[in-house]
Amino acid sequence: MDKRGSVMLSVLFAVIFFIAFIILINFIKPLTSETESSLNCSDVNISDGNKMTCLIINSAVPYFIALIISVAGGIILDRLLT
Amino acid sequence: MFISMASAGRLVVPTSIVNYTFDNSSNLDQDDTGNADINYSEWGYVNGKSNGGINTNNGMANNSYNTQITEGGISFWFKPSVNTASDDIGCAFHYDDSGNTKGDFSLGIQGCNSAGSGGALTLYFNNVTNTQAISTSTTNFLAGTWYHTFIKINSTHIGIYIDGTRLAIGSGSPNQALFGSSRLFHIFSGASATLNWTIDELKFYNSEITEQQIRDIYGKELSEVKLCDTSINVLYLNFTFKDESTLSRLNASVNLFNITYFGTDFGSNKSYSFTNLTDNFEYSLCYSDYADTVYATEVIMQYSKTGYSQRTYNPSDSMTLANTSTSKQLYLVPNSLGQYVTFQVINSAEQSLEGVQINITSASLGDIESRATDSSGGATFFLNPLSTYIISASKAGYASYTTTLSPASTSYTISLSATDTASQSDYMKGMTYLVSPSLGSSLVNDTTYTFNFTIASTYWDLDGFGYRLYNSSGSQIGSASGVGSTGGTATSNINTLNSSHLTMNYYWIISGNYTNGSVSWPIYMGTGSSGISGLLSNLNNYLTNGNGIFGLRSGTFGFSLIIFTIIFFITGVINYKFGFTSPGAIIAVLFGLVALFDLGLGLMPNPIGAVEHFPTIFMSIMALGILLWEAGR
């Protein structure tokens, strides 16, 4: 397989990976929302530890999206650069 | 026996600061809390919602009222003389500084100066900045029908509640300066002698009233069993009397009557008692005009008549009462024909048994007399020795005893033997039920959902079923009930509001026995709380309000030091990693980071408060200058 075919295959894998894991976000969002409701994150009078937990929970979905994009992008770039 | 309905921890309704019941037409001081008299000279005293009331009759009365309602409300019952959609019935309140012209706070239906339109109840008030008017969605209040009204006031909103349900709400609150002593508080003026209000139970509250408490105020003044009168007139239970021998109708007196009961719409037992020593043809108990099922857990009726000895009706079974009316025929035996007969109940060890329910019935007449044995194990009844009675004795943990006799003797002994196991009914037998939304469903705040409780019974006959829905603070926000001996569905559309979770207490009733359970749903606070926006929102909220995070608050020196340290650290790492050496590259990285923390995250401390985003502006000028200098080199 030449380089172009290799890159196209990697793009295909990256797209499949991206779609498959983006679907998982729909399962993560209710969990994060439920956790935020349980921790009462909108209240400024909760403990500092709970505040940090809330911030980490808030960053869970963006972190997951960034992870997916970086892995999918890495699959493509790896084939492009080698 | 029954399982008493548990209280949901509801708040007690605060005591009203004003309480005009209008029950005493001869006394001008109508306020039970000692407030000033109101001149009623132009009004008429009529039957009210509870005992007496007043009819405005085109009259108006003034009272200089000196209490500010900063948070609380005004509660009263009204009955229009005509259908409001077609006729003007004028004002209920004015609160102003002169006569009966435009009011700074006025409530009325059609033609209350600045208030009232199209049959709706309209509230007109001045707040600090301008005038406001809010009207109910109901635009036709029916002639002759009682409506409960609550005007809820707090610092930000004012609302109108009819029969416990909010029908109008507006932002803003009446200007508190209007409630001063210099203002006259006019109560009630009808449009004419025939177009007017009948008013009763006027109360002012000057402390926070929740919506559940409004419903409790409405329900408390509504849901009760008592002797029928013009205000409470839906017949639920009726007692009549006959001579047991001749079966002729009798007038009898009641030495004691007490009923303990609960309904499906209020969460605690109530009781009602009366005594009437005057012979009457019948005694009728009503349950107001609110169609509901009443479960009477205890009924005691001691009745007698001159020439007839007292009898007691005290059944052991609960009674289910509804507006289809239950009639109870009670019998008396003439003194000349009867005698006192004592039944002594003992166990197999010949020990007296207290609390044994003895029922005396007749095959042809039904219930004769009933009561429980006392501490000596005995119960005495007045019976006709020539009549045949069915005697039954029962107590939990003992085998029941039944016999038929004509009581020629004045005393009998009944021996009950203990059963091996206490009999206990399983009210879960044959029951299947389903709750909707399903457990684990995602509910969002401020959204209306359909809540269902579906039950099917293949063994027991159900007397009723339903549920009550409570928010996270324990206040009831909705309920639904159903009827059907084999089950059915209780359904209601209820808004989740801003509660963090909802709890449904479902129940079913079998022969007065109450079985319940509960389920809960967490409430998600809408969309958009997750993700970067939620992260930044919470971060900003924690750093700006409250105690910060681990002592760090936006604007403090320590926080500012941390931000600057982060900026310089990231700049240094980037420059080292990518080998940036030119001043232009370094300043560009610095500018980007400052803009991110200032414009993007809002965390950059600003030493020059007069200029918004000064750090970003300063860095942009610095960056531009250095780039121009670089280009010019």
Side-chain angles (χ1 to χ4, degrees), chain B residues 52-67:
Chain B
I54 56 171
N55 184 273
T56 61
N57 197 27
N58 198 32
M60 180 183 69
N62 307 325
N63 186 33
S64 295
Y65 203 68
N66 191 28
T67 294

Side-chain angles (χ1 to χ4, degrees), chain B residues 190-519:
Chain B
S192 73
T194 56
L195 302 174
N196 50 57
W197 310 66
T198 301
I199 305 291
D200 199 5
E201 306 299 319
L202 171 65
K203 298 178 182 179
F204 291 1
Y205 296 88
N206 196 24
S207 55
E208 181 189 2
I209 300 283
T210 65
E211 291 195 336
Q212 178 58 49
Q213 289 174 316
I214 293 174
R215 286 190 288 271
D216 284 346
I217 292 171
Y218 162 63
K220 180 181 176 183
E221 296 178 8
L222 183 65
S223 304
E224 59 176 347
V225 171
K226 59 183 290 186
L227 284 173
C228 301
D229 57 29
T230 56
S231 61
I232 296 181
N233 52 22
V234 180
L235 182 63
Y236 270 60
L237 179 61
N238 191 54
F239 291 96
T240 53
F241 310 92
K242 281 187 177 180
D243 185 305
E244 187 180 306
S245 307
T246 64
L247 299 183
S248 57
R249 292 294 293 266
L250 293 176
N251 295 344
S253 60
V254 174
N255 303 317
L256 171 67
F257 176 84
N258 184 71
I259 180 171
T260 303
Y261 60 96
F262 66 90
T264 54
D265 201 47
F266 52 91
S268 59
N269 288 341
K270 295 185 179 180
S271 64
Y272 172 74
S273 300
F274 75 88
T275 298
N276 191 329
L277 301 180
T278 304
D279 288 354
N280 277 299
F281 182 71
E282 62 182 354
Y283 293 89
S284 301
L285 282 301
C286 289
Y287 188 54
S288 73
D289 57 359
Y290 183 72
D292 193 8
T293 300
V294 174
Y295 302 94
T297 57
E298 186 178 50
V299 175
I300 300 175
M301 169 82 111
Q302 293 178 347
Y303 56 100
S304 66
K305 179 181 169 62
T306 303
Y308 296 77
S309 291
Q310 177 177 288
R311 274 185 162 173
T312 300
Y313 173 69
N314 179 209
S316 58
D317 294 333
S318 301
M319 297 176 71
T320 300
L321 307 174
N323 55 11
T324 51
S325 181
T326 299
S327 295
K328 203 68 206 164
Q329 182 71 57
L330 301 177
Y331 298 90
L332 289 165
V333 173
N335 291 337
S336 59
L337 297 179
Q339 64 179 7
Y340 285 102
V341 180
T342 299
F343 293 91
Q344 183 72 34
V345 183
I346 58 175
N347 59 15
S348 53
E350 299 191 359
Q351 298 167 319
S352 300
L353 285 177
E354 182 183 1
V356 177
Q357 182 69 27
I358 298 182
N359 294 328
I360 314 291
T361 58
S362 164
S364 58
L365 302 179
D367 291 330
I368 298 297
E369 201 170 0
S370 55
R371 68 160 63 86
T373 56
D374 56 21
S375 57
S376 66
T380 301
F381 304 89
F382 193 78
L383 303 174
N384 186 341
L386 300 180
S387 298
T388 301
Y389 300 100
I390 301 170
I391 316 297
S392 65
S394 61
K395 182 176 180 177
Y398 294 85
S400 299
Y401 173 85
T402 302
T403 188
T404 303
L405 56 79
S406 298
S409 174
T410 58
S411 67
Y412 294 88
T413 300
I414 298 173
S415 178
L416 298 182
S417 54
T419 55
D420 291 335
T421 57
S423 64
Q424 185 171 356
S425 296
D426 178 10
Y427 296 114
M428 297 291 292
K429 184 176 181 179
M431 292 294 172
T432 54
Y433 55 88
L434 190 65
V435 172
S436 170
S438 58
L439 299 181
S441 296
S442 304
L443 302 187
V444 181
N445 70 319
D446 206 25
T447 304
T448 299
Y449 292 91
T450 300
F451 290 88
N452 293 335
F453 174 67
T454 303
I455 186 169
S457 174
T458 58
Y459 184 77
W460 298 100
D461 284 339
L462 298 177
D463 294 331
F465 58 90
Y467 66 83
R468 296 179 193 81
L469 205 63
Y470 300 94
N471 62 14
S472 52
S473 59
S475 299
Q476 181 176 326
I477 63 171
S479 65
S481 60
V483 295
S485 60
T486 57
T489 299
T491 182
S492 179
N493 295 325
I494 298 169
N495 194 293
T496 56
L497 301 175
N498 285 317
S499 178
S500 62
H501 67 270
L502 295 184
T503 302
M504 173 191 282
N505 287 346
Y506 53 83
Y507 64 89
W508 60 88
I509 303 169
I510 300 169
S511 299
N513 295 284
Y514 182 83
T515 307
N516 62 353
S518 65
V519 294

Side-chain angles (χ1 to χ4, degrees), chain B residues 49-105:
Chain B
K49 184 68 182 72
S50 174
N51 299 316
I54 56 171
N55 184 273
T56 61
N57 197 27
N58 198 32
M60 180 183 69
N62 307 325
N63 186 33
S64 295
Y65 203 68
N66 191 28
T67 294
Q68 290 186 331
I69 302 177
T70 53
E71 187 167 25
I74 303 170
S75 167
F76 64 98
W77 287 86
F78 77 87
K79 181 176 71 174
S81 62
V82 293
N83 294 338
T84 64
S86 56
D87 286 294
D88 175 355
I89 64 168
C91 276
F93 295 136
H94 284 285
Y95 213 137
D96 54 48
D97 58 358
S98 61
N100 62 344
T101 56
K102 174 179 175 178
D104 293 314
F105 181 94

